[in-house]
Amino acid sequence: MRTAVVLPVLALAMACSAQEPPSQVSPVAVAAPVQSPPAPAMKRLDFNAVAKIESDFERKLEHLDSADPFEAMGACSGIYLNGYGLVFTTAVSLASAPKFGPFTGAYTKEKAEAVHKRKLAHLPALRKAMSEMLIGAAKSLSALPPNEKVVVAVRLFYLDYEDRTGLPNQIVMTADRASALAGNIQTEEQ
């Protein structure tokens, strides 16, 4: 039964794959490949410098307030986007929130308010560190064209029970390299 089905399919495949004899094949013109114009010359971006900026920013965040440290939620990562610029991202908690359980005590409104106040107090230090990082990156990355951007984006981490009144979910600072060197930085908080 299988051969009855396979044989017609095989015969059809052989008929469809038949080729014309070489004497009847018409020549095909081959076009030269289209070449795109060369990209504008740019000095090679030093990714070792990018890695140094990342680690310096991480260290700075750890030491912004030694009595009440920020909590890093991940590493800082710098990504170069050709024609756009450098984007640095990281995630932090503005202050470590207390964990609640049988050995640490129960959740109270007073503890939640204290965490909220600590986080609000840390916002100016974070904004200052971000702007300093952006300006420092613009200074140290001389291969970055003056019209390309440096972006520093920090995502803020919160626990479910936290009061987020007055606290952004993320802060994004942006400037093209020339503007950053002049101290003109745009800040967006969401």
Side-chain angles (χ1 to χ4, degrees):
M1 174 115 177
R2 282 188 180 167
T3 52
V5 173
V6 173
L7 286 179
V9 173
L10 187 57
L12 182 62
M14 290 173 64
C16 290
S17 68
Q19 296 181 357
E20 296 181 36
S23 61
Q24 296 177 1
V25 175
S26 58
V28 177
V30 178
V34 177
Q35 294 187 6
S36 58
M42 181 179 113
K43 292 187 233 174
R44 186 162 171 81
L45 192 64
D46 182 5
F47 282 96
N48 289 330
V50 172
K52 183 177 180 340
I53 293 167
E54 293 167 342
S55 62
D56 287 350
F57 188 57
E58 289 171 2
R59 257 191 309 283
K60 187 169 197 158
L61 288 176
E62 289 173 10
H63 297 96
L64 281 177
D65 185 347
S66 57
D68 187 14
F70 286 55
E71 191 173 356
M73 306 309 288
C76 180
S77 179
I79 300 168
Y80 177 71
L81 303 170
N82 193 20
Y84 181 80
L86 267 166
V87 179
F88 293 94
T89 64
T90 192
V92 298
S93 177
L94 291 167
S96 57
K99 312 296 186 262
F100 301 111
F103 302 107
T104 57
Y107 168 83
T108 63
K109 185 176 179 179
E110 292 78 23
K111 287 181 182 179
E113 287 173 359
V115 169
H116 185 255
K117 285 179 184 176
R118 288 172 38 220
K119 289 191 174 193
L120 283 172
H122 277 168
L123 271 175
L126 175 63
R127 290 182 188 115
K128 183 178 181 210
M130 290 174 67
S131 66
E132 289 172 353
M133 179 203 181
L134 194 146
I135 293 168
K139 286 179 182 176
S140 65
L141 298 169
S142 59
L144 190 67
N147 63 330
E148 288 193 3
K149 296 183 184 298
V150 178
V151 179
V152 179
V154 175
R155 170 84 184 187
L156 299 172
F157 176 79
Y158 304 102
L159 295 172
D160 290 339
Y161 67 83
E162 290 186 66
D163 177 11
R164 297 181 191 171
T165 306
L167 295 169
N169 288 314
Q170 67 180 12
I171 302 172
V172 179
M173 293 189 177
T174 308
D176 59 52
R177 185 169 175 267
S179 297
L181 293 172
N184 299 327
I185 300 169
Q186 298 171 348
T187 302
E188 182 181 331
E189 297 186 12
Q190 297 179 357

